Amino acid sequence: MKSVSATDRSRVVQPRVLVVDDEPDIRELIRLTLTRMQVDCLEAATLAEALQLLDQQGQGRIQLCLTDMRLPDGNGMDLIYRIQKYYSHIPVAMITAHGNMSSAIEALKAGAFDFLNKPVELQTLRNLVTSAVRLEKQQQIAPGCDPGPELMGQSRAIEKIRALVVRLSRSLAPVHISGESGTGKELVARMLHHRSHRCDKPFIAVNCGAIPADLMESEFFGHRKGSFTGATQHKEGLFQAAEGGTLFLDEVADLPLDMQVKLLRAIQEKSVRPVGAQKEEFVDVRIVSATHEDLAAKVESGEFREDLYYRINVIELRVPPLREHAEDIPYLAAYFLQQLATEMGRSAPRLSAEAQERLCRHRFPGNVRELENVLARAITLNEGDLIEIEDIQLDNRSQSACDEATAGANGLQKVCSMGLEAYLELVERQILQEALEATHFNKTAAARKLGITFRTLRYRLKKLEMD
């Protein structure tokens, strides 16, 4: 192997991290750790010094900024906003007091890459810096990763999700994907993983409702040999299996309360303790969760812990039901027919105009999954090159209820034309707007007037993009 001379080594551009903290001991600890990682360290004790260093370094000279929340002349959040606006390519991690999760979550919502707790855990720091450097390399060169799945469709709603996925893939912030069954929540989770700097690491998906309650702790965190009857050998858990990658918690609302407590600790401390082990193990995973249920309502009813809700729901990504982007149905239908035909070893049939119109008028309570199943039946029954309307077998129960509505039922007619979810959203939006106007936009008074909590009102305003 050819040796590398000192001159060649000097030409290697080392990663550079900006550390902003008014405590010299913290800066020194981080600097020593980064030096051992062959990472240059720039130091600033104030917000003004940090901004000056950013301006001096220019574009592309800093791979990561670590900033304390409290600074002598400002707030770490101010620095996050400034970097987001002028240096959006630089990931920022917030250094917060241990246990101050509200500050960490606020930073993540503002666009922070990740956070560190004080006292700084060196292994956590090293992993964070490594992730940030990998992120920059991913932006410079195409990574040797499977490009992963793609969300099919050309509607504005689908384009919006694609754009959000690109933006969120740059962060380590937990993402909660909401949406009805069959909309493609796991597909979106896989897109987040494959477009991130973790794309070459594992993506582990688990259905939280499918694990027996007495096995949950062992499944999530692993166990040691002899820790319980039947534990004949060491076994790693889902967190360990997802090391360096993404852990996707599907149907997270189905977790029992006692497991919610343990999951919250694992996410906050970034460590797990296998059943029967004496000490905790550090884990580096990104948490992405999903459910078709209303988590906020679960919190209200006491079925889901509020602290875990805010921890996994740092950023919410809503996947719309198919009826809200029905213009994608012809495009999706053509895609599924091609896929199904390839699997069957035959040429792909096309839809007749009548069959396509029938599909576009259907409400699809089962969403994209229902559309695929409908087309699978149609292509199986039809051996020709054209799928006719009689080949389309739909569940018409919800549709017939609309068709049989009396002419005088204006509200029901509107539901038939818009779809129930879209109609209820419209009504809710109008009621909230009236309540806000009646209280001169005092949200506390509006919540009291509506008979709901302030937190519920805030959640609904955010969900409807009215906040």
Side-chain angles (χ1 to χ4, degrees):
M1 180 181 293
K2 184 178 178 180
S3 62
V4 180
S5 67
T7 303
D8 291 333
R9 282 196 298 270
S10 67
R11 293 196 188 105
V12 177
V13 178
Q14 292 187 337
R16 183 166 295 173
V17 173
L18 172 60
V19 180
V20 188
D21 198 302
D22 61 340
E23 296 184 46
D25 291 345
I26 294 290
R27 296 202 307 271
E28 182 181 11
L29 173 66
I30 294 175
R31 184 181 70 251
L32 291 173
T33 304
L34 297 185
T35 300
R36 295 189 184 101
M37 296 176 66
Q38 296 185 326
V39 174
D40 287 341
C41 185
L42 299 174
E43 298 180 44
T46 65
L47 178 60
E49 289 179 13
L51 295 176
Q52 184 178 11
L53 284 170
L54 284 167
D55 292 338
Q56 290 174 352
Q57 292 297 309
Q59 297 290 331
R61 298 291 301 279
I62 296 176
Q63 282 70 45
L64 173 67
C65 175
L66 297 172
T67 179
D68 193 14
M69 174 62 82
R70 298 180 180 274
L71 298 171
D73 58 344
N75 190 295
M77 293 299 299
D78 298 330
L79 185 56
I80 289 179
Y81 291 129
R82 180 67 175 260
I83 290 177
Q84 284 285 306
K85 185 174 182 179
Y86 297 106
Y87 307 96
S88 59
H89 64 283
I90 300 177
V92 189
M94 180 69 76
I95 304 173
T96 66
H98 184 76
N100 189 3
M101 287 307 301
S102 59
S103 296
I105 291 174
E106 182 186 2
L108 291 171
K109 285 181 179 290
F113 175 70
D114 202 355
F115 68 92
L116 285 172
N117 280 324
K118 288 184 179 181
V120 174
E121 168 61 45
L122 297 186
Q123 184 58 49
T124 305
L125 172 62
R126 285 191 285 265
N127 285 345
L128 191 153
V129 173
T130 300
S131 294
V133 173
R134 288 173 59 202
L135 176 61
E136 190 205 35
K137 289 181 178 178
Q138 182 197 31
Q139 293 170 340
Q140 292 176 348
I141 58 174
C145 293
D146 178 356
E150 182 57 81
L151 197 61
M152 295 292 112
Q154 300 174 328
S155 64
R156 184 178 178 183
I158 297 302
E159 290 291 351
K160 182 179 179 181
I161 292 177
R162 289 198 194 101
L164 275 172
V165 166
V166 170
R167 194 173 78 193
L168 296 178
S169 65
R170 286 177 41 83
S171 169
L172 292 180
V175 175
H176 178 67
I177 304 172
S178 61
E180 298 177 8
S181 295
T183 52
K185 297 186 292 296
E186 182 172 342
L187 176 65
V188 173
R190 290 183 181 275
M191 288 173 63
L192 275 169
H193 174 76
H194 283 280
R195 284 150 183 78
S196 75
H197 62 283
R198 294 173 172 255
C199 59
D200 59 337
K201 301 298 181 180
F203 175 90
I204 303 296
V206 54
N207 187 322
C208 297
I211 304 175
D214 56 342
L215 295 179
M216 273 196 172
E217 188 172 2
S218 172
E219 286 294 313
F220 275 101
F221 309 139
H223 63 251
R224 292 288 173 263
K225 179 180 178 180
S227 56
F228 55 85
T229 303
T232 57
Q233 58 185 3
H234 290 345
K235 176 180 179 294
E236 71 174 13
L238 294 166
F239 271 84
Q240 293 94 329
E243 175 64 28
T246 303
L247 179 59
F248 175 53
L249 306 175
D250 197 11
E251 298 304 341
V252 69
D254 292 339
L255 285 172
L257 286 170
D258 61 336
M259 190 61 208
Q260 291 178 30
V261 177
K262 296 170 183 175
L263 179 63
L264 175 64
R265 175 174 174 77
I267 295 174
Q268 290 189 164
E269 302 301 324
K270 298 185 179 181
S271 62
V272 299
R273 178 177 293 179
V275 177
Q278 297 300 312
K279 60 181 181 178
E280 294 186 336
E281 300 176 359
F282 176 84
V283 287
D284 173 27
V285 299
R286 183 183 191 179
I287 299 295
V288 178
S289 61
T291 183
H292 70 280
E293 299 190 57
D294 186 340
L295 266 190
K298 287 273 188 179
V299 172
E300 287 288 329
S301 65
E303 298 174 80
F304 200 85
R305 289 183 62 94
E306 183 178 24
D307 46 9
L308 179 59
Y309 169 75
Y310 285 115
R311 190 65 189 86
I312 65 173
N313 196 34
V314 171
I315 299 172
E316 182 175 4
L317 199 164
R318 177 179 177 268
V319 183
L322 184 55
R323 59 186 169 275
E324 291 184 13
H325 57 110
E327 62 268 37
D328 285 327
I329 289 177
Y331 184 86
L332 289 167
Y335 171 79
F336 285 135
L337 287 173
Q338 181 62 60
Q339 293 289 102
L340 292 164
T342 301
E343 293 172 6
M344 298 172 69
R346 55 170 288 187
S347 60
R350 59 184 180 85
L351 292 169
S352 70
E354 294 79 10
Q356 182 169 290
E357 181 185 0
R358 181 69 185 88
L359 287 174
C360 291
R361 285 191 290 108
H362 187 61
R363 307 311 303 173
F364 283 106
N367 295 293
V368 179
R369 186 182 296 127
E370 180 186 354
L371 173 63
E372 184 176 11
N373 290 339
V374 167
L375 293 171
R377 287 196 298 268
I379 197 173
T380 301
L381 296 172
N382 187 309
E383 297 181 352
D385 296 328
L386 187 67
I387 292 180
E388 300 286 359
I389 192 169
E390 56 266 22
D391 299 319
I392 302 296
Q393 299 180 8
L394 298 171
D395 184 351
N396 293 315
R397 287 174 294 178
S398 60
Q399 193 72 31
S400 62
C402 289
D403 294 339
E404 295 172 5
T406 61
N410 294 327
L412 188 54
Q413 286 181 346
K414 204 165 186 179
V415 171
C416 294
S417 63
M418 295 178 62
L420 180 60
E421 292 296 327
Y423 178 75
L424 291 175
E425 182 177 302
L426 175 65
V427 172
E428 183 178 13
R429 185 183 297 275
Q430 292 173 343
I431 292 173
L432 293 177
Q433 185 66 30
E434 290 176 10
L436 288 170
E437 290 176 354
T439 57
H440 303 288
F441 293 89
N442 183 318
K443 293 181 182 178
T444 302
R448 190 181 305 116
K449 192 177 187 68
L450 292 169
I452 59 178
T453 65
F454 175 77
R455 185 175 66 249
T456 299
L457 175 65
R458 185 174 57 186
Y459 168 78
R460 295 186 179 280
L461 290 174
K462 180 180 179 182
K463 183 178 180 181
L464 296 172
E465 299 182 350
M466 294 176 63
D467 55 344

